[in-house]
Amino acid sequence: MSLIAQVQAPTVDFRGLSPLIALVVGANVVLLAGLLRGAGVQRVLVPLLAAVTLIVAGALSVAIWETGDVEPLVQSALAMDTLTLSMSLLFYLAGLATIALSLRSSAVGEAGAGEYYTLLLASISGMVVLAAAENLITLFVGLELLSIPLYVLCGSAVRERASLESGLKYLVIGSVGSATVLYGLALIYGATGQTDLGRIAAAIGEQVEVGDPLLLTGIALTASGLAFKASVAPFHQWTPDVYQGAPTPITAFMAVATKTAAFAVFLRLFDAALSTNQVEWGPALAALALATILIGNVGAIGQRSLKRLLAWSGVAQAGYLLAGVVVGTRLGLQATAFYLATYLVMNMAAFAVVIASERVSERGDDISSVEGLGARSPVLAWPLTIAMLGLAGFPATAGFMGKFYLIDAAVDGQYAWLGVTIVVGSMISLVYYLRVVAAMWMAPDAPPLAGPVRRMSPASGGSPEADPRAQPETVAVALVCAALTIAIGIFPSPLFDLAVQVGTSISGI
Amino acid sequence: MSVNLSILVFLPLLAGLLCAVVPGSAARWIGLAASVLVLALSVMLVAAFDPDAGLQFVTDVAWIPELGVRYSLGVDGLNLFLVLMTALLWVPATFVSAHAGYTRPRLFYFQLGLAETAVLGAFLAQDLALFVVFFDLMLVPFYFLIGAWGGADRVQATTRFVIYTLVGSLLMLAGAVALGVLSTPDGGQISFDLAELARRDLPAGSQAWIFWMFALAFFVKAPLFPLHGWMPDAYRSSPVPVLVLLSAVLSKVGAYGFLRIVLPLLPDASARFAELVILIAVVSILYGSVLAFSQDEVRLVVGYSSIAQLGFITLGIFSLDPKGAQGAVMQMVNHGLVVVPLFLLAAVLVHRAGGSESLARMGGIAFRAPVLAALLLVVSLATLAMPGSPNFVGELLILFGVFETHIVYGLVASAGVVLAAVYMIRFFQRAMHNRVGPSVESRDIGRVDFAAVAPLVLVIVALGVYPQFLLGRTEAATVAKVQEAGRLAEPPAAATAKEPVR
């Protein structure tokens, strides 16, 4: 009796961990449900369970929402603060959209629905851990938990060479990235003697000098490794290849969620642990941002594959996002979080349309597959148009507000030239975004435009999937995301409020 | 009697949304009805306007409190007539399109409505960020209107147009954010309110680069030499109703931006760079006039003449003299009023000449078309600033202003007035008289075109007879905008050398 009383079990805050617990439990349930036989199980029950898991996790995240600098959990390994929770909500939304987009994907059938959705949920839980990491070890665990399922998911269309190649490529490059991060983290630990982000922050300037070479090398290596995940130049080369080869729903998920997770950890690491060093790493990251913006935008210009185009555009967008990290201010943190949310809706709208048109066109994801889409099916053309205009930063879209906020943060943080770089990047980006819009609405060989296009019934020889009504969930994702893009562009205040709450999560900046 | 500016601004967009869902045949009449309604509202606005009351009919609510951005609209003497002009010119443009019967009418009238909302919003915005939003938004509908309904090479033309303009606009976005952030006093709340920004001080060093970001955007929009590269292709490929709006209304937003934003908010930089901008303006006048004289395509004759006209307007603004600015505001309205009938009549001429845009293939059209000839004559004379036309008053005021401050440039610019006579008379002669062209069919103006053009010609004549109607209402606001920059530029040689920057 007395012996038991003396054992001090660590207190586990189940309330704070509840979203993670929901995710992990859900992932297991989905895996087990996938073992059941029957088409109904595979096509309806498993995705439904996965979606329910994400919704429950989202609801729990909202329930434990608390502004301010929240006390970390599990021996200060995880912080369920507004930064984590807001980013988690973005992961869940991206996950829900991915589930909807995967419903008719051949990759699900080939990999097995149970495995496919379990890997998706596992990857999301890795993202949550990564975003919440208050400790170098948790950070690395989260990074690996995020990455490994994604390697498999990229290769999940096992009958397609491109998918397998993409999975292998991502595995090799991702491992190099992870190794680089690990090495960097080890050096930071070596320099400061701490693994807790809070204690590292306290140690810098006290036990270890701000310009300590070991520390700076560690920071540089960690930043490089994370840059792999966020596709920041010059660590972006894998992005177009992997994005093009992977099953398109997974591409959408990677483009949105992985990038969000990478930036969540960028923000936490640089703003919480290393903010005293901002003068040291600020200019270096700014140079990376400049290079990323230019390389990404220039790289996108010549692309004909829409997935590659969106990959390059994602590289450029990573450059914009990095500007919010560079300044190391509360405003920068808020602007980055805000932009990540807008980035999610704009990209999801674009990818949903790419998926929808890819399925019915024999030209795959080539830009010619959307030619004349404006006349053929406006219900798909509008979301893609709005997404492209939004990504280019046109007003009355979420992209404009996001850029406005980022430029605001950049100028406020003494990086006015970076703000100008963002707009220069946007100018270059017009060339390729508008090409997509022009292909949809102004294609020279557009069919005669008198009256609505007659839709043939399957019996009379028309392809059933040529009708957008044949894949309502894809169209719904596109429409909802496009509507959100416009709504945020016109009434941005609620999202700004949230961003301000996210800004309270890290004290000391 | 009060007019709600939000209704005025968003009515076209709402009608446009309605157009997008009704059957195509009804869309055009809804679009036309909305444009007439907007015109009626703006006439009420002018009737209720009090010349001594400053900014009025103000709508001001917080839009994005976190960034200090407000949804703030208001009318003063500066934008009153530009709003009226926009509303007035939209009616014939919509009317002509309704009769041209464009394909995909629902989309067409949606874009047309969106465009009017954006232009009116840009003219009425009293918050810098809101202005930027509307200014950039203008581009979207025009991109589609040219790209989807234009002539040959439309996609290239519209892409070039958008890239040119958006390069300017995005730089302006960066400049606007920088202006807001850098002029925020320590510990103060960031604000983009134009009146508040005018009260705050911005270091002269920051003013310089922000000035050029705005100036670039406005130069491209006008367009002025050497940033007019998008103009020939876009003008050539635009459908006629879009072309008239592009030339008459869009070009004015840039010039208006100088008066509304640049001069009051960046007075040091404006005073410092005034001479350089005047030089650009004078070069634009000469370049535009010479090219207008040498062009064969009727659209480009009018297009290049617009560059010259916009040069005059910019010249008036940067004379930093109350009279010059007054003349510029008047000339903005005048140019809009003459360029729309010019383009519409040019389209009629092209039709009469068997579809050819070439002046060489026209000629002798006046033979059996007295009404057409008379209308074109009135408009041409107004364009070349014949005494008795409103343009005469406008250009005279501009030249007065320039002579007060920069006499040499004034003398050179006066040559532009003469050149205008040369190219307009050449245009009129080649088209109307001379030998009858090979496939010319001389027939008088049709009812539709007459209904679109005749009211505008009447307005031109009326404004020529009674320019004080406009000048009296615009004076107070316009003079206030140039005062600060004019004061800083005042002692031209001695004082600037002693105290170069504030």
Side-chain angles (χ1 to χ4, degrees), chain B residues 381-451:
Chain B
L381 291 181
T383 309
L384 60 84
M386 198 70 162
S389 70
N391 300 51
F392 174 73
V393 183
E395 290 194 5
L396 200 64
L397 280 170
I398 290 175
L399 289 176
F400 272 153
V402 184
F403 274 112
E404 295 253 324
T405 52
H406 300 83
I407 189 156
V408 180
Y409 294 107
L411 287 171
V412 181
S414 310
V417 184
V418 182
L419 287 172
V422 175
Y423 63 71
M424 279 323 293
I425 290 175
R426 167 180 174 267
F427 171 56
F428 185 78
Q429 262 188 342
R430 290 273 177 102
M432 285 299 181
H433 300 304
N434 282 9
R435 184 176 300 154
V436 179
S439 48
V440 164
E441 177 203 4
S442 177
R443 200 154 39 77
D444 216 333
I445 188 167
R447 265 179 301 175
V448 171
D449 292 303
F450 182 77

Side-chain angles (χ1 to χ4, degrees), chain B residues 145-230:
Chain B
L145 287 170
I146 299 175
W149 289 277
D153 295 330
R154 56 183 196 269
V155 177
Q156 258 174 313
T158 196
T159 307
R160 182 185 277 202
F161 161 65
V162 167
I163 290 178
Y164 257 92
T165 6
L166 212 62
V167 165
S169 304
L170 286 168
L171 285 176
M172 183 176 77
L173 169 65
V177 176
L179 181 59
V181 173
L182 297 179
S183 64
T184 308
D186 282 335
Q189 177 68 35
I190 183 170
S191 167
F192 288 95
D193 184 54
L194 289 176
E196 174 64 30
L197 282 175
R199 279 193 290 276
R200 291 178 177 180
D201 255 349
L202 188 64
S206 306
Q207 283 196 19
W209 66 269
I210 295 175
F211 173 87
W212 282 111
M213 296 208 151
F214 279 98
L216 265 178
F218 297 152
F219 285 165
V220 173
K221 206 72 160 190
L224 287 188
F225 179 87
L227 297 171
H228 62 283
W230 59 268

